[in-house]
Every structure is written in C-alpha cells, then in structure tokens.
Amino acid sequence: MSEEYINELLDSLPLSFCFVNPLGVIVNANNPLQNLTGYLTTEMVGKNIDVLFFEKEEIEIFKKEISESQEKIEKEMTLLAKDKRKILIRVIASGQRDKKGNFNGYFLIFSEIKGKEEFQKELEKEVKQKTKALKESSLALLNILDDVEQSRLLAEREKNKTLAVIENFPEGLLFFNKENKLTSVNFKIQEIFGIKKKKLILGKKTPDLLNKYPSFTPLIKFLGEDEVKTTHRKELELKKDLILEVSVIPVVSKQEKLGTLVILRNITREKIVERLKSEFVSIAAHQLRTPLSSIKWVLKMILDGDLGSLTQEQRIFLEKTYKGNEKMIRLINDLLNVTKIEEGRIVYRLQEEDIIKIIKEVMDVFKEQSIIQNKNLKFEFIKPEEEKIIVQADREKLFLAFQNLIDNAFHYTPIGGNIKVVVKHLKDEGMVLTSIQDSGIGIPEEQQKRVFTRFFRATNTIKENVEGTGLGLFIAKNIIESHDGKIWFESKENQGSSFYFSLPVKKII
C-alpha cells in the first residue's frame, strides 16, 4: 500500500493515534489527535512525545515499560493540549519489534475519558458515519474494478486483433527496439528467411543476426550493422529469384522514438513480369525498326524524284506518310532507350564537353523546323557570361535529354507563346544550371508527381490533342541523373512550365 493510502486510513480512524520511534520522537499522527490536542500534525512530528503529557516523570517510566514489554500497556494519564488545557485520557501503547526481536518503536492510542453514555452515543454516531462511508466507498470501488476489468478485456481483445493482423500481414514485418534488438516478427519473416521458431531470433541485435543467421546477411548489410537506417521502397536481392522491396520506418510516440519497423515486400513476380515486358518491347521494337527504316528510305527516294516526277497531290500524301513513318521511328527509338535504361544496358561514353555548344546545336535543330513559324513562337536563348562551360558528359545522350525537354516545350506551348532557355554558372555550388521555360498549357497539380514516370501524359494534353509518347521526360531524367545531375520542374496549369537540370562543372574556359 502507498504512504498516501496509509495516511488516509489513519485519518479515517475514530481514535486519536500516533507512532513514536525508539528515541521517543513522534513520526506520524492522525487528524483526530490534532483535534484532541490542538496541535497540527506538522507541529507534533519530529517532537518528543513528552510534549503531549503533563506528567513528565511518569511518561519516562511509561516509555521504559513499553520498550521492555511484549504486551500492550494501558494507562490513564493527563494530556497537555496546545492551549494548556489538561485532558484526562486513557493511553494504550503497543510496542513494535522486527523478526529478530529488535524494538522499532510503538503505537499510542488516546481516548478521552468521558461519561459512559456520552461516549457510547458518540461512538455509535461515529460508527454509523463510518459504516455509511465504507458502504459508499465499497460500491464505488466495485464499480471502478468492474470498469477496469471491462477496459482490460477490451484492450486484450484489441491487442489480439492487432497481433492477428500483424501475424497474417502479407508483407514481412520486423520491429527493432531502441536498443536495436529484434523484438517482434510475423510469420512472413519466418517464411522468407527460413526460420522455424521465432524465439531463435527474438532479442537478438543486428550483429548477432549477421553472425549467427546467414539468411539475414544481405538484409542486415543493407539496413546497417550498428544502426537500422531509414529508407523507403528500396530494392534488395536477398537471394537468387527473391527480390524484396524494403521500407524502414521510425516508430515515434510523443516525440520519443520507440524503435524501427522494417517492412519487406516480395516483388519477385513483378520484376519478372517487368523483365519479360521489357524483353518483349525490345524484340518488338527491333523487329519494327528495320522495315520502318526501309520505308523511310524508299519514301525519301520517291520524294527526291529518284523514281520519277510526282504530281502535287501525290507529293502531299507522300510527305504525310513520311512524317507518320518518322514518328513511328522516334517511338521505336524511345522504347528501345527505355528498355536499355530499365535493364541497365545503356552505355555512357563520358568525355569533356561544352554544354553551351550542345544546347546551341539542339536549338539550331528546332529553329530549322517549321513549327516555330507555324505557331509564331518566340524562341530565346540567354547565355551565361562564360564562353565555355565544360562538363563530363556523353554528348549523344545529353543532346537527347535536352532535345526531349525542348520538344515538350514546343509541343505544349500554344500559338504566339514564348520559350526561353537560360544557362547559369552556379559558382558557389560548382554546377551549371539550365532552365527551359515556356508559356504553355502547364501540368495539373494533382498529376505532377507522375511527370517523370513512363508513358505519363497529363489529361490537359490529351484534351488539346497534342501528340506524344510520354517517354521523353522519363528518358531525360535518367540521362541527367546518370551524369550526377538533378532535374526538377515548376508548373501551373494554363500558365506554363519551367524545367531545370543541373550538372557538375568540370572546368570553365
């Protein structure tokens, strides 16, 4: 029982009471004793018991008797109140000893000696009050206990539900506590790592798992041996024909980290399907490119007059056919580039290149196209102060990335719009920043997260009937990032878009 509860119990007793240590010092006293003597508890505690009695010599004899006796001692004495009143009392003393018989102090119970009838009435009144209070307290306590039991049962049911959900969760779950110990796993983890009994791995730290359980080695090396690092949806090849998507989430409650949750999702099937799809696209694209190239050269020969003269009507139809064939060839090339990127087969031949020169060459290609005149577009190039900015790059790939970004700006900018290309040297960061700004149709905010994904086309581009494959930005992003660069954009629907990419500067000339 707590000290607070004991004090409340003592105060509820109808008799005046105190406890005295072996030195005769008052250690505790209840409220009835305060009422009887006029002293506050704080005034009595710490004082010698002699202060409460009129007979000083007799109390010394009484204390000695208490320390030597094994029985309760009862004595009539005179209590000296705070206001100097003398009160005739009956004192009952009970010595307290430990198991070895050592004297630890004694209890004193005081009762004022009154007339028998008056005392009986007061006692009956006090008993009734205490009995009523006790019944009310008992009823309240029973209600509280009932509520506690209901809450416990409800919490137990919810706990069991949660454990059942975790145990049957389709993804593997591991929980590491603050000390980096594995405290919880579900059945899927046992299945993935071939562990028959959970208790074999529970309570183990990451170094222990690494040393004692070889199946965990790739995962622990991926997560970190000393501390589990936060990550999101990263791929891990655990073993042959088993690829996992790993997410590591810190578990926090009231700004305190409780531990780390590791989620493992088996994506082997998705990766196999993705590989098969890429192989199919690659084979189909290669098979289509050869006949399309043949068609292109035959049409070119006819349009150049190598096979005889054409009427105006024939030329118009053949030019439309030639343009359609060119679009198909570009689509096939984009599909092949995407396949190479996904399979990691794209080869970069890096060497020192002037990025200003590459950008200017791309812009010259577009200036020669009729789209600028047909749409009455303003095409502007703002160069940096530096004459040459050298980067480590694959010229062909970087040309393609920038071409895709410019191509988007041209296609999605309406008649009379503006396209601005700006190149800046960020000296403090050692980077060169290129931006392509247009006054086009923009990208809806709710679709902007998907801009750099394969085959993405915003809904407003479809409404505007603008042609495109949805592969250009995906290819551009992969090329820029493969050059240790970054690419991002800002866009507002019906106001335009600005695409930015930065690359490390090798040197300035």
Side-chain angles (χ1 to χ4, degrees), residues 33 59 68 120 144 186 204 214 222-223 291 302 349 369 404 421 424 453 457 482 486 490 506:
L33 186 59
I59 189 63
E68 294 174 352
Q120 186 71 22
I144 291 170
N186 65 350
K204 300 287 192 296
F222 179 85
L223 297 175
I302 295 172
R349 296 178 177 83
Q369 296 179 8
N404 287 346
V421 178
K424 290 182 181 178
T453 58
R457 297 200 69 208
S482 296
K486 295 179 181 178
E490 297 170 356
K506 181 75 173 178

Side-chain angles (χ1 to χ4, degrees), residues 440-452:
I441 60 176
I443 304 165
E445 186 176 353
E446 66 275 9
Q447 298 178 24
Q448 291 184 6
K449 291 182 180 179
R450 298 174 51 222
V451 162
F452 292 111

Side-chain angles (χ1 to χ4, degrees), residues 308-324:
S309 59
L310 299 171
T311 65
Q312 186 62 29
E313 187 178 4
Q314 289 172 332
R315 179 170 294 279
I316 290 171
F317 279 111
L318 285 171
E319 284 177 350
K320 286 181 180 180
T321 305
Y322 183 84
K323 287 179 181 178

Side-chain angles (χ1 to χ4, degrees), residues 64-73 93-98 100-103:
K64 186 176 180 182
E65 290 175 355
I66 297 168
S67 65
E68 294 174 352
S69 175
Q70 299 289 335
E71 305 292 334
K72 293 180 181 177
I73 302 175
S94 176
Q96 300 296 305
R97 299 178 185 278
D98 60 21
K100 294 181 179 179
N102 298 319
F103 183 61

Side-chain angles (χ1 to χ4, degrees), residues 206-346:
T206 45
D208 298 328
L209 294 171
L210 183 65
N211 296 327
K212 296 180 181 179
Y213 300 94
S215 60
F216 276 89
T217 300
L219 177 65
I220 300 303
K221 287 185 176 181
F222 179 85
L223 297 175
E225 296 181 32
D226 300 321
E227 183 181 359
V228 179
K229 299 172 184 176
T230 302
T231 188
H232 182 63
R233 302 186 71 176
K234 298 290 184 182
E235 290 182 13
L236 169 67
E237 187 171 356
L238 193 67
K239 56 185 177 182
K240 188 178 180 181
D241 297 328
L242 181 55
I243 302 171
L244 302 175
E245 183 183 81
V246 184
S247 293
V248 181
I249 306 166
V251 179
V252 180
S253 177
K254 296 179 181 179
Q255 298 183 339
E256 179 186 2
K257 185 178 179 182
L258 303 179
T260 307
L261 179 66
V262 180
I263 304 171
L264 305 180
R265 178 170 168 259
N266 189 342
I267 57 170
T268 307
R269 184 176 179 278
E270 289 93 322
K271 299 304 290 184
I272 291 172
V273 170
E274 195 174 288
R275 177 172 55 80
L276 292 173
K277 184 176 66 177
S278 294
E279 288 176 358
F280 170 77
V281 170
S282 179
I283 292 168
H286 277 292
Q287 292 296 320
L288 287 170
R289 187 161 64 172
T290 302
L292 285 172
S293 297
S294 300
I295 292 170
K296 173 182 176 178
W297 294 117
V298 170
L299 290 171
K300 183 68 174 171
M301 289 174 64
I302 295 172
L303 288 169
D304 289 344
D306 295 342
L307 301 178
S309 59
L310 299 171
T311 65
Q312 186 62 29
E313 187 178 4
Q314 289 172 332
R315 179 170 294 279
I316 290 171
F317 279 111
L318 285 171
E319 284 177 350
K320 286 181 180 180
T321 305
Y322 183 84
K323 287 179 181 178
N325 190 71
E326 282 288 285
K327 289 176 185 177
M328 285 297 296
I329 291 173
R330 282 199 298 272
L331 173 60
I332 295 300
N333 288 334
D334 283 347
L335 288 171
L336 288 171
N337 284 327
V338 168
T339 303
K340 288 178 183 178
I341 289 169
E342 289 178 335
E343 294 178 356
R345 293 190 295 107
I346 193 163

Side-chain angles (χ1 to χ4, degrees), residues 355-365 381 383:
I355 190 170
I356 299 174
K357 184 179 180 182
I358 293 174
I359 292 172
K360 190 175 182 303
E361 288 175 359
V362 175
M363 293 184 67
D364 288 343
V365 170
F381 180 29
K383 298 180 182 179

